[in-house]
Amino acid sequence: MAVAGNPHRNANILERFNDNELLKRYRLNRGGIMTVVELVRDAVTSPTNRNNPITPEIKVLTTLRYLATGKMQLCSADELHISQPSVSRILHQTINALCRRHIIRQFIRFPLDVRQLHRNNAHFMDIAGLPGVVGVIDGTHVRIIAPSEDEHAYVNRKKIHSINTQIVFDASYTILDIVAKWPGATHDSRILQESGLRLLFERHHVPAGCHLLGDSGYPCRTWLLTPYIHPHPGPQLNYNR
């Protein structure tokens, strides 16, 4: 429940701050914030009006503030007047609402349309002249607090607890595919092997001649180009470069 404060003042945050100020605080302007609100409104709206329930707008602002800063106490900034226990509940509710499959698929979907794949290929060709590349794949480690169960499985090679997240993106840095569930000790190649992305290529849902580009942490495949470990001078060295 919200702590004592002025709910009307809270409701006017989007009016009190201009787009530049909203971007500084929440990483989105008013239009972007309202887009997120509409995505989750059905899941985060209180079923009753008892006890002055926190509005979907404030829940989204609180969540965006946390995601922008990573600091729980700052979620109560900007005169939101929300207690820390309420902030914790809001974060779980709003992030779970955003992670629903039908919402994710509105924004993250590996292209299977030939025209879009050709556009991706052309953009990568403009960067380095490498033919057939439609996406780049890599793993990134998201740091977490040490879990109470299977703690050792989450310790990555840098001795930090993390989730190893596989990401594929295009030449404009748009995320095309993401897998964010594997403990930090899991190797990149294992995550790819177990992913639906591999099946898209091996079952030929992605047309032949389309490739991903990856580093030496991945195995070389007909659809996955990786560097030579010990390149010979000439074509192999040029390819690596």
Side-chain angles (χ1 to χ4, degrees), residues 141-154:
H141 286 267
V142 180
R143 191 167 186 165
I144 62 170
I145 297 172
S148 56
E149 296 182 7
D150 300 320
E151 179 267 342
H152 66 282
Y154 291 85

Side-chain angles (χ1 to χ4, degrees), residues 18 40 49 51 99 107 144 146-147 172-173:
N18 62 35
V40 301
N49 288 324
N51 300 319
C99 288
F107 302 98
I144 62 170
S172 301
Y173 308 108

Side-chain angles (χ1 to χ4, degrees), residues 53-116:
I54 300 172
T55 66
E57 287 81 3
I58 296 302
K59 289 180 179 181
V60 167
L61 287 169
T62 302
T63 302
L64 291 176
R65 182 67 165 163
Y66 172 72
L67 295 175
T69 64
K71 296 180 179 179
M72 184 78 74
Q73 61 268 29
L74 289 181
C75 292
S76 298
D78 298 332
E79 301 175 353
L80 288 175
H81 302 295
I82 299 175
S83 67
Q84 186 163 333
S86 292
V87 168
S88 182
R89 289 192 294 272
I90 287 169
L91 292 178
H92 282 284
Q93 184 186 36
T94 309
I95 291 173
N96 285 338
L98 280 170
C99 288
R100 289 176 294 172
R101 188 175 185 85
H102 73 278
I103 290 179
I104 291 175
R105 290 182 69 84
Q106 290 183 45
F107 302 98
I108 302 177
R109 182 192 292 267
F110 193 86
L112 300 178
D113 177 72
V114 172
R115 290 171 298 181
Q116 182 59 53

Side-chain angles (χ1 to χ4, degrees), residues 20-236:
N20 286 336
E21 291 170 325
L22 290 171
L23 282 167
K24 290 178 182 177
R25 290 168 170 81
Y26 305 105
R27 305 289 180 88
L28 291 174
N29 60 18
R30 188 181 191 281
I33 291 169
M34 291 309 301
T35 295
V36 177
V37 170
E38 294 309 318
L39 287 172
V40 301
R41 186 182 294 279
D42 65 318
V44 304
T45 300
S46 176
T48 73
N49 288 324
R50 296 177 60 187
N51 300 319
N52 293 320
I54 300 172
T55 66
E57 287 81 3
I58 296 302
K59 289 180 179 181
V60 167
L61 287 169
T62 302
T63 302
L64 291 176
R65 182 67 165 163
Y66 172 72
L67 295 175
T69 64
K71 296 180 179 179
M72 184 78 74
Q73 61 268 29
L74 289 181
C75 292
S76 298
D78 298 332
E79 301 175 353
L80 288 175
H81 302 295
I82 299 175
S83 67
Q84 186 163 333
S86 292
V87 168
S88 182
R89 289 192 294 272
I90 287 169
L91 292 178
H92 282 284
Q93 184 186 36
T94 309
I95 291 173
N96 285 338
L98 280 170
C99 288
R100 289 176 294 172
R101 188 175 185 85
H102 73 278
I103 290 179
I104 291 175
R105 290 182 69 84
Q106 290 183 45
F107 302 98
I108 302 177
R109 182 192 292 267
F110 193 86
L112 300 178
D113 177 72
V114 172
R115 290 171 298 181
Q116 182 59 53
L117 290 169
H118 283 167
R119 285 194 289 270
N120 287 11
N121 178 20
H123 293 157
F124 279 112
M125 278 288 289
D126 289 342
I127 293 173
L130 207 57
V133 176
V134 296
V136 173
I137 185 170
D138 203 359
T140 184
H141 286 267
V142 180
R143 191 167 186 165
I144 62 170
I145 297 172
S148 56
E149 296 182 7
D150 300 320
E151 179 267 342
H152 66 282
Y154 291 85
V155 180
N156 63 31
R157 62 183 181 277
K158 295 184 179 179
K159 308 303 180 185
I160 295 170
H161 295 90
S162 68
I163 297 292
N164 191 359
T165 302
Q166 176 181 284
I167 301 179
V168 178
F169 55 94
D170 65 17
S172 301
Y173 308 108
T174 299
I175 295 175
L176 306 178
D177 188 80
I178 189 165
V179 179
K181 64 180 182 180
W182 289 87
T186 311
H187 197 276
D188 289 351
S189 60
R190 165 78 186 284
I191 298 174
L192 176 61
Q193 177 64 25
E194 300 290 338
S195 72
L197 181 70
R198 176 183 66 84
L199 297 178
L200 284 181
F201 280 90
E202 294 191 349
R203 293 178 179 177
H204 308 295
H205 296 295
V206 181
C210 293
H211 313 294
L212 296 179
L213 204 63
D215 62 21
S216 57
Y218 295 101
C220 187
R221 297 286 185 265
T222 55
W223 49 270
L224 175 56
L225 306 180
T226 60
Y228 287 95
I229 302 300
H230 303 292
H232 297 298
Q236 291 186 5

